[in-house]
């Protein structure tokens, strides 16, 4: 495939950008009373407002032409048809089947999904009604999920968003830093604690280390046979889970066609189901499925994930904004920025295209974020006046689920005000220190409520956005080879960290110096 910047569609878009560079977001609003109406799209309680991006109608036409030209429609259809679109790993990409196996051509996939969902539902029910107990016959009161990356962020985000206080408390230990497991185990009773080991590969160092320590902690208190009664595994490697001591009936499969960062919807989502209840988890899957159907069937021009992706392409590649702030104005979505960070940056943070040619445009923004309004008191100064600038995606929820009056209108007023300030700015009454340039793009996603359905829709919206952008950049969004080298080097460093360093390796001077100081501060021999 020709380099994307050599295509007619890309050149036309870049040319249009150059000729309209001086038009501001304020100009676009001033010239068009229908700008909001014509630049926002709604699907079943999810409103996507792209009108505060500096994108005019001709730019939209150019972006849609680029999407067609890059083969977004064909790539989308290939994903749904179960083609091996993860070419470097030789895998299908079928997380959409987890939301509705019946829509997928491969009958085996549908059967696997249906059977596993039934087992997960029964397990969740048995924990909640107390019929499945720990070794000493007591019902489980705490669930500790041990997993990292995709086996952590999605389950944690959704458990925080929709977890219920009347179900066992679900905690998370991800980091190999023992402080994380220490915090997860604080004040829990081993007899009433269930551990979930979420690891697609069942080889991840952090997860296996935490699982082994948790198993020791448990067996010291409950007895040597405790693991089989208090551990479950969510994995594509059931034999490894069995070898760890986990009972076959507590091993829930995932498959190689589910990418780690897309695995929330599979057995990896069990902590989420335990936190919110099976019917809510199923409703979240249904919500994701309704976004899937929309993504699959709607023409590109009215397709929410496609429009969101294209606004991102414009901001990154045409406006040169290499960063994306994700700011949910809802404390329950506080982990959304981290979830999207992995989804976006691990999927599209690549340097080569599908053909192996070097990527010659910017791809995958630096994603960062924090819940609003907290974010306003940290990095919003930089958003409004910093010279680098970023595109922003605000997420708000219309109907709160708490009973405190006077909070929610303030919260959403702040969201709207931030987007308005970024777009329109102020001259600061002539004071240069107070002036804000405005003309800084933002997108607002407003949900009618933070219910399971809308949460599922929101997360699927982002999954498909990332996919569409990957297609346009010509990237395989489904591998992650860039994380391997560091893992290998850590494994090779480990023997030199303890009492008796092997001395077999030589290091660069910086690594050698840091290692020596680490060893001396730990009181280890030179
Ligand atoms: O960070 C690399 C990665 O492979 C992620 O893609 C994945 O979500 C995470 O590690 C955890 O992997 P696993 O579920 O196999 O333990």
């Amino acid at each position: 495939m020709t380099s994307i910047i050599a295509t007619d569609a890309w050149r036309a878009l870049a040319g249009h950008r150059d000729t309209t560079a001086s038009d501001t977001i304020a100009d676009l609003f001033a010239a068009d009373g229908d700008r909001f109406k014509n630049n926002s799209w709604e699907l079943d309680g999810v409103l996507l407002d792209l009108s505060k991006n500096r994108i005019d109608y001709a730019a939209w036409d150019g972006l849609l032409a680029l999407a067609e030209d890059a083969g977004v429609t064909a790539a989308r259809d290939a994903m749904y048809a179960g083609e091996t679109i993860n070419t470097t790993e030789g895998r299908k990409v079928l997380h959409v089947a987890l939301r509705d196996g019946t829509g997928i051509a491969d009958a085996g996939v549908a059967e696997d999904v249906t059977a596993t969902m039934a087992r997960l539902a029964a397990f969740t029910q048995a924990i909640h009604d107390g019929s499945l107990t720990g070794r000493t016959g007591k019902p489980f009161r705490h669930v500790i999920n041990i997993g990292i990356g995709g086996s952590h962020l999605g389950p944690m985000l959704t458990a925080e968003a929709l977890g219920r206080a009347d179900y066992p408390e679900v905690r998370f230990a991800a980091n190999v830093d023992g402080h994380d497991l220490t915090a997860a185990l604080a004040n829990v009773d081993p007899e009433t604690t269930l551990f979930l080991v979420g690891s697609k590969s069942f080889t991840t160092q952090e997860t296996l280390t935490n699982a082994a320590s948790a198993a020791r902690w448990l067996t010291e208190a409950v007895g040597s046979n405790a693991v089989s009664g208090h551990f479950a595994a969510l994995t594509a490697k059931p034999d490894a889970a069995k070898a760890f001591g986990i009972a076959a009936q507590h091993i829930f499969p995932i498959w190689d066609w589910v990418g780690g960062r897309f695995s929330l919807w599979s057995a990896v989502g069990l902590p989420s189901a335990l936190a919110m209840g099976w019917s809510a988890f199923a409703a979240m899957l249904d919500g994701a499925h309704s976004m899937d159907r929309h993504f699959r069937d709607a023409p590109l021009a009215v397709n929410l994930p496609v429009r969101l992706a294209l606004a991102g392409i414009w901001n990154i590649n045409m406006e040169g904004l290499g960063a994306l702030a994700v700011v949910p104005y809802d404390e329950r979505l506080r982990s959304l920025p981290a979830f999207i960070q992995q989804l976006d940056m691990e999927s599209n943070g690549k340097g080569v295209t599908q053909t192996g040619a070097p990527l010659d445009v910017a791809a995958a923004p630096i994603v960062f974020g924090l819940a609003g309004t907290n974010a306003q008191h940290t990095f919003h100064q930089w958003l409004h006046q910093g010279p680098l600038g970023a595109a922003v995606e605000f997420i708000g929820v219309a109907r709160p689920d708490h009973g405190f009056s006077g909070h929610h209108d303030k919260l959403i007023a702040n969201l709207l005000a931030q987007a308005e300030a970024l777009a329109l700015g102020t001259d600061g009454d002539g004071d240069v220190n107070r002036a804000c340039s405005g003309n800084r793009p933002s997108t607002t996603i407003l949900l009618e409520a933070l219910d399971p359905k809308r949460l599922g829709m929101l997360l699927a919206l982002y999954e498909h956005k990332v996919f569409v952008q990957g297609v346009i950049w010509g990237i395989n969004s489904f591998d992650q080879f860039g994380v391997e080298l560091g893992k290998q080097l850590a494994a090779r460093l480990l023997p030199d960290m303890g009492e008796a360093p092997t001395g077999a390796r030589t290091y660069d001077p910086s690594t050698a110096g840091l290692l020596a100081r680490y060893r001396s501060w730990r009181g280890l021999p030179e």
Side-chain angles (χ1 to χ4, degrees):
M1 179 186 150
T2 10
S3 153
I4 189 168
I5 47 178
T7 61
D8 290 346
W10 189 274
R11 284 184 199 192
L13 195 62
H16 177 72
R17 198 268 163 196
D18 290 345
T19 56
T20 57
S22 60
D23 296 348
T24 64
I25 297 169
D27 293 336
L28 296 176
F29 276 108
D32 179 9
D34 287 333
R35 184 166 173 78
F36 171 74
K37 186 160 80 73
N38 293 338
N39 288 273
S40 59
W41 290 268
E42 200 172 322
L43 180 71
D44 220 355
V46 175
L47 169 62
L48 173 67
D49 174 22
L50 295 170
S51 65
K52 291 197 192 79
N53 289 280
R54 209 189 63 83
I55 305 175
D56 63 19
Y57 295 109
W60 274 127
D61 289 344
L63 286 162
L64 288 163
L66 181 68
E68 281 296 2
D69 209 53
V72 167
T73 309
R76 177 189 65 185
D77 294 348
M79 176 171 76
Y80 278 95
E83 287 177 28
T84 306
I85 63 168
N86 177 356
T87 46
T88 52
E89 296 182 316
R91 291 176 182 168
K92 302 172 182 186
V93 174
L94 284 177
H95 48 276
V96 290
L98 297 163
R99 282 94 81 134
D100 175 32
T102 58
I104 300 299
D106 189 332
V109 167
E111 269 169 37
D112 284 347
V113 171
T114 309
T116 303
M117 289 295 171
R119 286 187 59 215
L120 290 165
F123 186 80
T124 303
Q125 184 59 34
I127 299 292
H128 286 166
D129 65 21
S131 55
L132 188 65
T133 64
R135 275 279 171 260
T136 56
K138 295 184 185 169
F140 291 109
R141 305 215 175 285
H142 287 95
V143 177
I144 299 181
N145 187 69
I146 295 175
I148 198 163
S151 302
H152 168 229
L153 294 167
M156 182 173 71
L157 155 67
T158 50
E160 286 171 353
L162 297 174
R164 280 173 43 166
D166 53 337
Y167 288 149
E169 184 191 342
V170 181
R171 299 183 179 186
F172 294 86
N175 200 330
V176 74
D177 181 349
H179 297 107
D180 202 12
L181 185 61
T182 304
L185 294 176
N187 302 320
V188 305
D189 176 357
E191 290 183 50
T192 57
T193 300
L194 172 71
F195 292 93
L196 306 176
V197 185
S199 179
K200 180 179 169 184
S201 61
F202 225 83
T203 58
T204 303
Q205 185 193 52
E206 293 92 330
T207 301
L208 294 190
T209 306
N210 277 326
S213 297
R216 271 196 305 278
W217 176 89
L218 177 77
T219 49
E220 274 164 21
V222 183
S224 55
N225 66 348
V227 168
S228 62
H230 288 245
F231 268 68
L234 325 168
T235 185
K237 298 285 182 239
D239 291 344
K242 255 180 237 157
F244 185 87
I246 299 176
Q249 70 273 21
H250 294 166
I251 299 175
F252 299 94
I254 65 168
W255 307 275
D256 71 354
W257 45 263
V258 190
R261 52 194 171 274
F262 301 90
S263 63
L264 158 68
W265 321 95
S266 71
V268 167
L270 182 58
S272 173
L274 288 169
M276 67 176 74
W278 186 259
S279 60
F281 187 74
M284 191 174 78
L285 296 180
D286 283 348
H289 178 54
S290 67
M291 185 59 73
D292 294 340
R293 273 201 316 268
H294 167 81
F295 176 58
R296 189 191 58 198
D297 298 337
L300 299 192
V302 293
N303 198 304
L304 272 68
V306 173
R307 285 277 179 178
L308 183 60
L310 291 176
I313 295 281
W314 175 266
N315 287 327
I316 295 163
N317 296 119
M318 300 295 146
E319 303 283 60
L321 292 170
L324 172 65
V326 175
V327 189
Y329 273 70
D330 193 305
E331 192 57 30
R332 296 168 296 178
L333 294 177
R334 60 190 172 279
S335 292
L336 183 68
F339 174 80
I340 292 176
Q341 204 167 46
Q342 187 197 10
L343 183 62
D344 208 333
M345 297 175 84
E346 200 173 66
S347 297
N348 288 339
K350 315 276 166 72
V352 290
T353 66
Q354 296 260 25
T355 62
L359 190 69
D360 49 12
V361 294
I366 303 159
V367 178
F368 67 104
L370 199 63
T373 60
N374 302 23
Q376 292 174 210
H377 301 274
T378 57
F379 58 76
H380 278 222
Q381 164 64 36
W382 179 93
L383 290 181
H384 290 290
Q385 291 188 319
L388 285 177
V392 186
E393 287 172 4
F394 294 109
I395 295 98
V397 176
R399 293 205 298 261
D401 289 306
H402 62 77
F404 294 107
S405 62
H407 286 248
H408 200 64
D409 288 348
K410 286 179 189 141
L411 177 72
I412 301 304
N414 272 285
L415 182 165
L416 297 175
Q418 290 297 316
E420 191 182 4
L422 285 167
L424 305 179
T426 173
D427 66 4
D429 291 328
D431 179 345
V432 289
N433 295 302
R434 290 176 189 275
C436 293
S437 63
N439 204 28
R440 294 178 180 229
S442 75
T443 292
T444 300
I445 302 171
L446 191 61
L447 309 182
E448 189 179 333
L450 188 61
D451 53 17
K453 175 178 173 178
R454 276 32 171 271
L455 183 59
M457 291 176 74
L458 177 72
L459 301 184
L461 169 70
Y462 270 100
E463 287 180 348
H464 297 318
K465 169 204 170 173
V466 166
F467 172 58
V468 169
Q469 291 186 334
V471 173
I472 291 174
W473 289 316
I475 288 171
N476 174 10
S477 302
F478 302 104
D479 61 17
Q480 56 283 319
F481 294 114
V483 301
E484 293 306 322
L485 177 61
K487 287 185 193 171
Q488 287 159 16
L489 292 181
R492 288 170 59 196
L493 264 157
L494 199 53
D496 287 339
M497 311 293 291
E499 282 291 334
T502 61
R505 277 199 64 195
T506 52
Y507 295 100
D508 66 84
S510 167
T511 307
L514 290 165
L515 187 56
R517 175 52 77 232
Y518 172 81
R519 292 183 60 82
S520 73
W521 278 347
R522 293 214 63 186
L524 293 166
E526 293 275 304

